[in-house]
Amino acid sequence: MRIWIESIRDYKGKDVEIRGWLFNKRSSGKIHFLIVRDGTGFVQCVVVKGEVREEVFNLYDKISMEDALIVIGTVREDKRAIGGYELQVKDIKVYSKCSDNYPIPKVRPENIPDVGKLYHYRHLWLRSRKQWAIMRIRSEIEKAIIDFFEDRGFVRFDPPIFTPASVEGTTTLFEVPYFDENKVYLTQSGQLYMEAGAMALGKVYSFGPTFRAEKSKTRRHLTEFWMIEPEIAWATLDDIMDLAEDLIVYIVERVLENRRFELETLDRDIGKLERIKKPFPRITYDDAAKIIEEEKLKGKKLDFVYGEDFGGDEETVISERFDKPVIITRYPKKIKPFYMKLDPNNPEKVLCMDVLAPEGYGEIIGGSQREDDYETLVGRIKEEGLPLEVYEWYLDLRRFGSVPHSGFGLGLERTVAWITGIKHVREAIPFARTIERFRP
Ligand code: 4AD
Ligand code: MG
């Protein structure tokens, strides 16, 4: 019977067929060990002299990494083998040979300094163990997010990707020609449309790609990334802080439950993830600014000036104070977008929140209560120098039964990078797009 490696434990003592690729091999002379991968897992296949036909035993010298193989054998439990099971080989067929010049080196690719070269071969690099583990964790996180919102009665609501206006500032828009004389932009965030969705459906969430012409070459920036955006009618800033906390705790729990082997493959410090429990510390922008001033006094070189946004280095310094994600609220309005509700206690601040992941991973969530007052919102759009006409439909949401509402956006790749413990968001998505890279 043909099986996938992930289900091997169900076939103890049975004869099965596995179709995959050679991942690695070693031999003690009389016994060959082949590590075969099929995408769902890795299994050690044991070839013993005298127990298989001579030509099968001798295949060992002819097969090499990434040859496509069909292996038939008996499943045996073995605590020492990866995954706890191995295959006692009866027969091997070489389905197709891998050319000699396979460009991904045999040693663990993460030990190789020339990462740029690996990106060039991203389509093959994805087969390596580390990338395999990251992609499986990403998929688990995606599923956890969908389950989280569906279980809470949210309706999935898909905002458009071609949009006529900016959401998060005009400096990171990608322009696309749109027939005749027109042009549109690739969406930076579906939020404005999610607000319309919340007024129609109460609780909505989106899950899709977003685009920003980010000129920064940091380990946290992509030009195409995936965002999950819940939006809730009648919700306040406090409500969405609670929701963000619940969401993050749920995601981490699910990965710990279902992707432990992959975390171990990545040498992730699992204890640090096990500490991700409610409640998360909540501080204001002013508190965070004080932390930075303290660190400066201790000699840390930071460019931060009160009133400005935190950069990557500042975020790292702040998040290092906590072993859980930290929620920072009430930033100055001048560094935040037009749609955020002014703080009634201090109109220079807005009712917003950023969630910073621990271990220096920086902001993974940005959200706010939305300005629901028509006049104030019109004022903010003008203040930002944005063209009022394109926001007319958005202003309708304030004209026709305006209510308080709030939402946030979770950046998928930054969340994956943090949970998997990888350095750079580029490895958190199958084919990364950055200022420097749009191939393969
Ligand atoms: O903080 P941001 O800009 O918030 C919004 O777009 C809101 N409109 C969301 C909302 O309230 N519905 O982006 C949200 C998250 C960030 O916290 C970050 O995790 C991620 O999106 N993000 C990026 N991830 C990778 N590369 C980039 N260039 C990113 N820009 C933002
Ligand atoms: Mg943000």
Side-chain angles (χ1 to χ4, degrees), residues 153-424:
F154 282 69
V155 172
R156 184 158 173 173
F157 186 82
D158 306 315
I161 288 177
F162 287 147
T163 62
S166 79
V167 190
E168 300 295 321
T170 49
T171 56
T172 60
L173 286 169
F174 274 114
E175 245 178 65
V176 184
Y178 198 75
F179 307 115
D180 305 327
E181 300 291 284
N182 293 318
K183 61 176 192 214
V184 293
Y185 307 108
L186 295 181
T187 184
Q188 296 167 308
S189 152
Q191 183 198 315
L192 307 188
Y193 299 95
M194 300 313 289
E195 291 183 47
M199 298 308 143
L201 296 150
K203 295 182 279 185
V204 289
Y205 75 102
S206 69
F207 195 128
T210 48
F211 306 85
R212 294 194 196 174
E214 299 274 11
K215 298 204 178 69
S216 22
K217 293 185 197 169
T218 78
R219 62 195 192 91
R220 296 171 186 169
H221 287 95
L222 296 167
T223 53
E224 177 184 311
F225 59 98
W226 287 61
M227 216 200 296
I228 293 85
E229 296 185 87
E231 190 74 30
I232 313 166
W234 301 98
T236 61
L237 178 63
D238 284 335
D239 295 330
I240 55 154
M241 285 200 273
D242 293 343
L243 186 75
E245 206 174 62
D246 284 340
L247 173 63
I248 293 171
V249 168
Y250 184 79
I251 294 171
V252 172
E253 269 172 9
R254 280 277 296 264
V255 173
L256 286 170
E257 204 173 297
N258 297 332
R259 290 292 179 263
R260 203 166 266 267
F261 175 74
E262 288 80 353
L263 290 172
E264 284 162 3
T265 300
L266 295 167
D267 297 324
R268 182 68 170 104
D269 183 341
I270 290 176
K272 288 198 169 135
L273 293 178
E274 283 170 338
R275 249 168 266 149
I276 308 304
K277 295 261 185 298
K278 292 206 295 183
F280 296 168
R282 297 178 183 191
I283 63 174
T284 62
Y285 171 89
D286 286 4
D287 298 332
K290 275 186 209 123
I291 293 179
I292 293 173
E293 292 310 327
E294 283 167 23
E295 293 300 322
K296 273 188 181 168
L297 286 176
K298 287 188 208 155
K300 276 242 167 71
K301 291 246 175 309
L302 297 165
D303 299 331
F304 176 76
V305 182
Y306 181 85
E308 314 245 295
D309 206 356
F310 305 125
D313 292 342
E314 286 84 25
E315 284 183 0
T316 301
V317 160
I318 299 163
S319 68
E320 273 168 358
R321 288 276 178 108
F322 309 94
D323 57 3
K324 294 180 194 184
V326 52
I327 309 183
I328 308 179
T329 59
R330 296 178 166 80
Y331 285 60
K333 78 167 181 191
K334 82 172 208 311
I335 54 167
K336 288 290 182 185
F338 71 93
Y339 57 73
M340 292 185 174
K341 187 167 180 64
L342 300 182
D343 183 349
N345 298 320
N346 178 359
E348 286 312 306
K349 299 276 168 63
V350 283
L351 297 180
C352 70
M353 60 126 189
D354 277 8
V355 182
L356 310 191
E359 301 174 65
Y361 281 91
E363 179 196 335
I364 52 171
I365 285 183
S368 75
Q369 188 161 334
R370 319 308 188 186
E371 186 52 76
D372 51 329
D373 180 68
Y374 176 81
E375 298 297 340
T376 314
L377 187 57
V378 169
R380 291 286 289 132
I381 293 173
K382 287 187 182 153
E383 221 175 345
E384 299 287 318
L386 296 165
L388 209 53
E389 331 72 82
V390 290
Y391 297 98
E392 275 304 327
W393 72 268
Y394 182 65
L395 288 165
D396 275 351
L397 303 175
R398 277 69 180 170
R399 288 189 186 104
F400 303 116
S402 188
V403 300
H405 59 289
S406 306
F408 62 78
L410 168 85
L412 181 63
E413 289 72 20
R414 290 192 190 172
T415 305
V416 172
W418 162 49
I419 292 178
T420 56
I422 57 176
K423 249 213 180 102
H424 202 296

